[in-house]
Each structure stands twice: as structure tokens, then as C-alpha cells.
Amino acid sequence: MIDAHAGELHLPTVRRRFRALAEEATREQQTPIAYLAALLEAEVAERAERRERRRLIDARFPIMKRLEDFRFTDNPNVPQATIATLAQGGWIDDRESVIFIGESGTGKTMLATTLAVCACQQGRRVRFTTLAQLANDLQEAEGHRELQRVVGRYARAELLVIDELGFIALPEGAAELVFQVISERNEKSSLIVTTSLPFGEWTKVFPDPRLAKAVVDRLTHKAHIIETGTESWRFRHGLPRRDLRPTKETT
């Protein structure tokens, strides 16, 4: 009967675990209320885990990285205390943003991902994209007359991560569409941006100087700007592996 009622009420964890927890309650001489509390706690915990997994999938991370995966000793430029504070998520409540500036291989994307994963774990809606993918999505949407729907999708996320700003120069039309998303989110929700370019060189991405200035103004307003340096962690740690590769013998 419990099995049937739990199924009717959509309580899969109760349905699966009520017998095992009842046996445990008998062994430990728990009261009926303690048994019921343990059963409901298990249901709530598993629902929370399922929701977190769903948020992590919906965020579309290219690779899953958590804060404990980042080795601060490999890049002393990154302020560990600041990252730990940001991981708590208060800056998202305050509708602030984070900008990571540094050369390729200095940990920008990994740090952005770890903060975004923390946001998912806190129950927030997150979306991860590269600047190129964002521009492509917006241009395709405009071509199919679905621009407002797609802009709204990016605007609804509590945290939007825009990775790899600086890898490509945006065509004029695409640059304006990206600016539309940034403007839509301005002071309403949070952004994380990673870039290899100093702000003075953002005209390489947004060719119109006035548009580039407007983008910088909106992104840097209420932003935590973190410089990750110029020395590539990947390059430095790849050298020993390259040294071990066999070389061809000359005859």
C-alpha cells in the first residue's frame, strides 16, 4: 500500500527506501516520528540532488570544474581569498559581475566555470557560452525572426558566463546583438566574462569604438576585475611532457 501511495504522490525516494529505512528504524529503536522524518529527509535530499544535476546540465558547461580542482599554487596571481568569497554567491544577489583578464592558459575559463558551478549548487539558473556561440545564436535567431525569444533566454539566467572574449572580431551586426544581451542584463543580473584583451583593446572585438566603450562601461560597472597574469599554466606544465617525447635518431 505504501508503495502504491508513494507512486501516486510522486515520491520515488519514499517508494524505493521506506522498507530499508523501516528496518534501520527498528534496529535503532527510533520513534515513528523519527522514522517519518528520516524518510522525508531522504526524499527532499534526493530531489535537491536531481534539481542540481538538472541545473548543471542546463548550464551547458564545456567541462565540469569545481573550486577544489583549481590549484592556486600554480598561479599566484589569482587571489584565493577573493575567489573563495565570490564562490559564496553574494555578488550575484547584488547583481554584480566578474571579469577575468589574462593570457591564454592562465585559468580564466576554469575559474569562471568553478564560480558558475557554485552558483548552480546554490540553486541559481546559469548559462555558459562563448562569445562566438552567443553571436551565432543571436544572428541565427534574427534570421528566423526569433531574436526576442533568444535574447530573453539569455536574459533570464541569473548568471551568464561569456567565455573567450578576444578570440574573434565580431561583425558589426553581431556586435550590436551581443550588446543588446549585455544591455538587457545590465544591473538586473550577473555576468562572468573572460578575456585576453585589456579594455583599451576591445575595439578588436567590437569594431565601433563607441559600441566598445559602451560595452566596457556596462560590464565594468559594479564588477570584480581579476587579472590572472600572462604565464600559461598549460604551457609550463606541458614542457616536461614534451621533453620526454622520443626524438628521431639521425643516421
Side-chain angles (χ1 to χ4, degrees):
M1 183 177 292
I2 293 177
D3 189 284
H5 289 334
E8 182 70 22
L9 293 171
H10 304 289
L11 300 172
T13 305
V14 169
R15 187 177 187 181
R16 189 177 68 256
R17 298 189 60 188
F18 76 90
R19 291 187 181 88
L21 289 177
E23 293 173 359
E24 181 179 316
T26 300
R27 287 195 306 270
E28 297 180 0
Q29 297 182 333
Q30 295 177 5
T31 65
I33 291 178
Y35 163 65
L36 180 60
L39 190 58
L40 294 177
E41 183 179 351
E43 180 70 46
V44 169
E46 289 204 16
R47 286 192 179 193
E49 289 177 7
R50 289 195 296 271
R51 287 195 296 268
E52 180 181 316
R53 287 196 297 270
R54 184 73 258 169
R55 287 192 297 270
L56 290 170
I57 292 170
D58 290 344
R60 302 187 180 184
F61 295 114
I63 186 169
M64 192 66 62
K65 292 291 184 181
R66 301 181 186 276
L67 187 57
E68 55 268 26
D69 297 326
F70 190 85
R71 293 185 290 184
F72 289 91
T73 54
D74 287 329
N75 189 346
N77 292 298
V78 177
Q80 185 172 359
T82 299
I83 298 299
T85 300
L86 292 172
Q88 297 173 12
W91 61 282
I92 302 176
D93 295 328
D94 295 334
R95 298 177 178 84
E96 298 172 347
S97 294
V98 176
I99 302 175
F100 290 106
I101 303 177
E103 292 294 335
S104 178
T106 56
K108 302 184 303 297
T109 298
M110 186 173 181
L111 287 166
T113 302
T114 61
L115 292 183
V117 167
C118 287
C120 286
Q121 293 171 331
Q122 293 156 5
R124 307 178 195 273
R125 295 190 307 275
V126 175
R127 185 65 182 268
F128 187 105
T129 185
T130 63
L131 179 65
Q133 184 61 58
L134 174 61
N136 287 338
D137 285 351
L138 295 171
Q139 286 185 304
E140 288 183 8
E142 185 179 42
H144 291 89
R145 298 183 179 180
E146 297 179 342
L147 182 60
Q148 290 306 312
R149 181 182 64 81
V150 175
V151 169
R153 185 178 69 202
Y154 281 109
R156 282 192 298 273
E158 293 175 74
L159 173 61
L160 175 63
V161 181
I162 303 178
D163 194 25
E164 298 180 352
L165 190 154
F167 279 35
I168 62 167
L170 295 175
E172 184 175 346
E176 292 173 350
L177 294 175
V178 170
F179 176 72
Q180 185 174 340
V181 170
I182 293 172
S183 294
E184 187 72 24
R185 298 183 60 85
N186 188 40
E187 296 194 66
K188 299 176 184 175
S189 47
S190 296
L191 276 162
I192 296 178
V193 175
T194 73
T195 181
S196 57
L197 297 176
F199 297 121
E201 296 182 16
W202 280 27
T203 49
K204 294 179 179 179
V205 178
F206 301 92
D208 183 337
R210 290 177 299 178
L211 185 62
K213 183 178 185 300
V215 170
V216 171
D217 285 346
R218 282 163 174 75
L219 288 180
T220 56
H221 179 59
K222 296 176 63 177
H224 303 266
I225 300 171
I226 299 173
E227 296 185 8
T228 59
T230 59
E231 184 178 2
S232 171
W233 178 90
R234 286 195 297 265
F235 178 77
R236 180 156 44 88
H237 285 261
L239 287 176
R241 291 195 298 271
R242 282 194 287 273
D243 291 342
L244 293 174
R245 291 175 184 171
T247 57
K248 293 182 179 180
E249 295 183 359
T250 58
T251 58

